[in-house]
């Protein structure tokens, strides 16, 4: 099934708990798959997205299609999910594609890139723009199809042991960050570090790193970053709307009955909406608790944002010049985003600005 068709038909306008499922034939086979997550079980919202999806699949098939979810490290380490699905070690994965920036920076466009799209804009590009088609062609080369299966919405800018007042304060800063964002910060003299989520706290505590970004208040509070770094910056300009994805082996996908294919797609769409709703419901309380316990909330100064934006645009130009595949997808992504920003600034942005002023 073409990915564009799925995205337009399997879950557009879905409300949580209102999945319309196809009828299951009485002779439908029992299928058992394994899914490798890139996330630890302690992060119930992002890791829980895969469990929620698997639960919906089982419910819709009367238990005939079962997907067992394994946390990062239980079958393969979190960063190895791509290869596990590609090589057939597992039938599915649940991850974020920018983890695989080192294989090809094009993959990052399936999740988020610095100064990129928001959750709603990303959904529009994937469903009604060329996102699903272009990215489908890229991932198919590795025996993978991706299905949107969550979004954290705009993230925070991370935890810092010292204040960031100017772009010069980024020089020499050892920060847990990777992918495009790490490459952008490198241009400004920072020293990006690739550290798994479970290892961030001890690295900050010991001073091995000076700063770290993860997701947002709810998850960050769970990991205790406020205990070892007091400055909490926003916004996470490198993650305007990071999409979480279900990876499916194309070979295994082809073996599924059509009914199971449809159910898996719809369950992923439902999990996608559910994850956004969970984060939106949990982050406000967590943020108030963090600030109440002494966390100092700071906005990145405009000078810092402008310097990072320029570095990001320079990096995109350089990457496009050396990687034709990236250029093809990024050019379409950027054009779509520019139109989205024009629209959102007029309606959504003006309304939000007014309402925020009334708090």
């Amino acid at each position: 099934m073409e990915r564009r068709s799925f995205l337009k038909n399997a879950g557009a306008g879905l409300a949580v708990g209102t999945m319309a499922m196809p009828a299951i034939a009485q002779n439908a086979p029992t299928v058992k798959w394994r899914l490798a997550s890139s996330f630890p079980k302690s992060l119930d919202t992002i890791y829980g997205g895969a469990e929620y999806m698997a639960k919906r699949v089982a419910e819709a098939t009367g238990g005939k299609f079962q997907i067992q979810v394994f946390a990062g490290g239980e079958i393969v380490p979190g960063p190895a999910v791509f290869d596990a699905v590609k090589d057939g070690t597992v039938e599915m994965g649940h991850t974020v594609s920018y983890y695989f920036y080192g294989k090809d920076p094009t993959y990052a466009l399936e999740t988020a890139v610095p100064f990129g799209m928001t959750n709603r804009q990303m959904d529009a590009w994937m469903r009604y723009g060329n996102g699903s088609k272009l990215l489908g062609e890229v991932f198919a080369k590795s025996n993978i199809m991706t299905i949107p299966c969550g979004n954290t919405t705009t993230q925070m800018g991370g935890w810092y042991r010292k204040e960031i007042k100017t772009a010069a304060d980024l020089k020499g800063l050892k920060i847990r960050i990777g992918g495009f964002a790490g490459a952008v910060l490198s241009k400004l003299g920072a020293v990006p570090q690739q550290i798994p989520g479970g290892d961030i706290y001890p690295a900050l505590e010991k001073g091995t790193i000076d700063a770290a970004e993860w997701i947002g208040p709810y998850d960050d509070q769970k990991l205790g970053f406020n205990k070892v770094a007091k400055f909490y910056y926003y916004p996470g300009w490198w993650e305007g709307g990071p999409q979480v994805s279900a990876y499916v082996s194309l070979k295994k996908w082809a073996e599924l009955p059509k009914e199971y294919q449809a159910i898996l797609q719809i369950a992923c769409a439902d999990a996608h909406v559910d994850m956004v709703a969970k984060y939106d419901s949990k982050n406000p309380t967590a943020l108030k608790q963090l600030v109440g316990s002494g966390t100092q909330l700071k906005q990145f100064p405009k000078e810092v944002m402008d310097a990072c934006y320029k570095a990001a645009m320079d990096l995109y130009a350089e990457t496009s010049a050396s990687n034709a595949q990236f250029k093809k997808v990024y050019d379409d992504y950027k054009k779509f985003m520019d139109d989205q920003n024009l629209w959102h600034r007029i309606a959504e942005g003006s309304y939000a600005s007014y309402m925020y002023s009334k708090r």
Side-chain angles (χ1 to χ4, degrees), residues 13-35:
L14 275 175
V16 175
T18 61
M19 292 164 55
M21 293 294 188
I24 301 299
Q26 290 185 352
N27 61 347
T30 296
V31 175
K32 294 184 179 182
W33 278 9
R34 299 191 304 168
L35 179 152

Side-chain angles (χ1 to χ4, degrees), residues 101-348:
Y101 168 88
K103 295 178 178 292
D104 190 317
T106 312
Y107 294 136
L109 293 166
E110 211 261 345
T111 303
V113 294
F115 302 100
M117 294 195 210
T118 64
N119 169 38
R120 281 179 54 190
Q121 293 171 344
M122 188 72 175
D123 283 349
W125 183 56
M126 293 295 289
R127 289 174 180 266
Y128 292 101
N130 294 319
S132 62
K133 175 180 181 295
L134 293 172
L135 290 167
E137 294 169 354
V138 172
F139 281 89
K141 297 175 183 177
S142 297
N143 183 43
I144 294 172
M145 68 173 286
T146 67
I147 307 174
C149 194
N151 198 298
T152 70
T153 71
T154 304
Q155 295 189 5
M156 292 291 283
W159 298 85
Y160 297 73
R161 295 164 64 93
K162 67 175 185 178
E163 289 188 74
I164 305 298
K165 298 179 179 179
T166 70
D169 291 329
L170 296 172
K171 292 181 180 178
L173 185 82
K174 298 190 293 275
I175 178 171
R176 183 273 176 195
I177 199 168
F180 260 119
V184 169
L185 287 171
S186 290
K187 283 181 167 289
L188 298 171
V191 184
Q193 310 282 316
Q194 290 273 21
I195 300 175
D199 297 332
I200 298 174
Y201 182 94
L204 263 178
E205 184 180 36
K206 296 173 183 176
T208 306
I209 56 176
D210 307 306
E213 61 81 33
W214 184 239
I215 295 178
Y218 181 70
D219 287 334
D220 292 2
Q221 184 183 44
K222 275 182 168 288
L223 294 178
F225 298 148
N226 57 305
K227 299 174 183 176
V228 289
K230 66 178 181 179
F231 300 108
Y232 197 22
Y233 274 86
Y234 67 93
W237 46 262
W238 47 88
E239 303 199 65
Q243 178 175 273
V244 185
S245 299
Y247 281 18
V248 183
S249 161
L250 277 172
K251 179 181 178 182
K252 291 298 182 179
W253 172 259
E255 296 173 359
L256 277 182
K258 295 297 183 183
E259 295 90 344
Y260 287 7
Q261 289 180 350
I263 286 169
L264 178 56
Q265 292 167 333
I266 296 170
C268 285
D270 193 25
H272 188 79
V273 174
D274 188 70
M275 185 183 293
V276 172
K278 280 183 180 177
Y279 273 117
D280 282 344
S281 69
K282 294 176 181 292
N283 278 329
T285 299
L287 182 60
K288 286 189 285 188
Q289 290 172 344
L290 288 168
V291 173
S293 67
T295 292
Q296 294 190 34
L297 195 61
K298 299 280 186 179
Q299 184 172 5
F300 283 123
K302 187 175 185 300
E303 177 199 327
V304 174
M305 293 287 287
D306 288 345
C308 292
Y309 182 86
K310 181 182 184 305
M313 296 307 111
D314 290 345
L315 181 61
Y316 293 144
E318 294 164 9
T319 307
S320 293
S322 62
N323 186 322
Q325 178 171 262
F326 174 84
K327 183 179 189 309
K328 178 182 178 180
V329 182
Y330 178 71
D331 284 353
D332 188 88
Y333 177 102
K334 181 66 163 58
K335 182 178 182 300
F336 192 91
M337 180 177 65
D338 288 345
D339 287 341
Q340 288 289 299
N341 284 340
L342 175 63
W343 161 236
H344 281 250
R345 185 176 71 177
I346 290 171
E348 194 85 11

